[in-house]
Amino acid sequence: MELLLKQANTLSREWAAQCTSEAQVLVEAAHVDRLVDAIIYLSDEPDIQEALKRMARKVMQPGNRNPSQGKDMLWEVVLLADLKRDGLSARAAEPDIVVEFETGNYYIACKKIWSPENVEKQINKASDQLKPFKNRIIALNLDDLSPAYSVFASQNRDAGMEFLHNCNGAFVVRNQQVLSKAVIENKCDGFIISTTAVAMLKEEKEPFNLIIQATLWPSEDTTPKACSQFQAFYKHWTNP
């Protein structure tokens, strides 16, 4: 993590000197900002200390496409922070995250997808984690499927979010069989599919942005026969 944190310091010095920063510095500094924001938000969360220790010791560079326990932990931490920001009662616990509702708990296993070839393997790992629980959700992070240090251009934040939503949708289409199989075989009730990307948004006051889009699948709109438990979670998260 130390190398990643140094990029934020590099960016600060370059901006102060009015120098142009390299794409790698910009991308890594943007991810540092997201990491720090999540850690600050979860400062009172008692059960994320192990995740923070792993991140401190592991490779964290967003452009490094090798599997990393540190980046695994980052996905768990930022998702937990996002759920809590959206008003949900979420905490770090087995399997990775537990969300509490009056109607019962929802259990989330978080997995990063490192390549198109390991989707089924990661889903099977998550399914094994979820076996002891009811109301089971698998959260997949797709960040490492994009080209390393890529920055995409879009007109504004709404257009950028739509682009990422379409990326998530394309992932679902490509992996429809394995995703559907997990739901049909009652390995999980549904999926959270999330992509984070660095973007230049031309119409925004601050054009350089890190944008995140999460898609819940199956939703009641796309799959009427989806499990009632997941539909309930869907409604809770989208209408907290």
Side-chain angles (χ1 to χ4, degrees):
M1 185 192 290
E2 182 180 357
L3 293 176
L4 182 64
L5 294 175
K6 284 182 178 179
Q7 294 292 53
N9 187 44
T10 298
L11 180 62
S12 178
R13 293 199 311 269
E14 290 175 347
W15 279 11
Q18 297 184 337
C19 297
T20 300
S21 299
E22 295 180 355
Q24 180 175 342
V25 173
L26 291 170
V27 170
E28 292 188 355
H31 283 272
V32 169
D33 185 61
R34 187 185 187 200
L35 167 62
V36 171
D37 184 55
I39 291 174
I40 292 173
Y41 192 83
L42 298 174
S43 59
D44 295 329
E45 181 69 33
D47 294 319
I48 66 163
Q49 298 306 314
E50 182 59 32
L52 298 180
K53 289 178 183 178
R54 290 191 187 183
M55 285 191 284
R57 297 193 297 263
K58 301 297 181 180
V59 171
M60 293 290 292
Q61 281 76 7
N64 188 317
R65 290 297 181 256
N66 295 317
S68 161
Q69 282 190 341
K71 291 165 76 174
D72 285 336
M73 294 299 102
L74 175 61
W75 169 224
E76 295 177 22
V77 168
V78 297
L79 178 59
L80 176 60
D82 289 345
L83 291 168
K84 291 174 74 72
R85 280 195 194 92
D86 287 337
L88 300 183
S89 179
R91 55 185 171 85
E94 291 295 334
D96 292 316
I97 297 173
V98 177
V99 182
E100 299 174 346
F101 297 119
E102 292 181 359
T103 54
N105 292 345
Y106 291 75
Y107 299 88
I108 302 176
C110 301
K111 293 296 174 197
K112 283 186 67 72
I113 302 300
W114 300 103
S115 72
E117 293 73 32
N118 85 330
V119 175
E120 185 170 11
K121 180 179 179 181
Q122 292 296 81
I123 289 175
N124 288 338
K125 285 183 178 180
S127 299
D128 289 341
Q129 286 181 261
L130 290 167
K131 281 181 179 178
F133 308 104
K134 296 192 300 182
N135 300 340
R136 297 167 290 185
I137 296 169
I138 297 175
L140 302 178
N141 178 267
L142 312 184
D143 294 2
D144 286 71
L145 295 184
S146 62
Y149 297 113
S150 58
V151 178
F152 79 92
S154 190
Q155 291 300 114
N156 51 49
R157 180 171 293 275
D158 288 343
M161 295 292 281
E162 181 66 20
F163 173 80
L164 292 189
H165 178 73
N166 291 336
C167 289
N168 292 345
F171 173 84
V172 169
V173 171
R174 292 193 303 270
N175 297 280
Q176 182 89 37
Q177 185 174 359
V178 66
L179 297 174
S180 297
K181 180 181 178 182
V183 174
I184 292 170
E185 294 182 353
N186 198 32
K187 294 180 178 179
C188 70
D189 299 324
F191 293 85
I192 298 170
I193 299 168
S194 176
T195 302
T196 302
V198 178
M200 289 297 294
L201 307 178
K202 299 175 184 178
E203 297 175 356
E204 299 294 335
K205 184 177 180 180
E206 297 181 358
F208 187 80
N209 280 265
L210 190 71
I211 56 176
I212 305 103
Q213 175 67 297
T215 300
L216 279 73
W217 186 92
S219 72
E220 58 184 347
D221 297 324
T222 58
T223 310
K225 294 183 180 179
C227 295
S228 60
Q229 296 98 323
F230 187 67
Q231 289 190 18
F233 177 83
Y234 185 97
K235 292 176 181 177
H236 276 299
W237 197 12
T238 54
N239 299 286

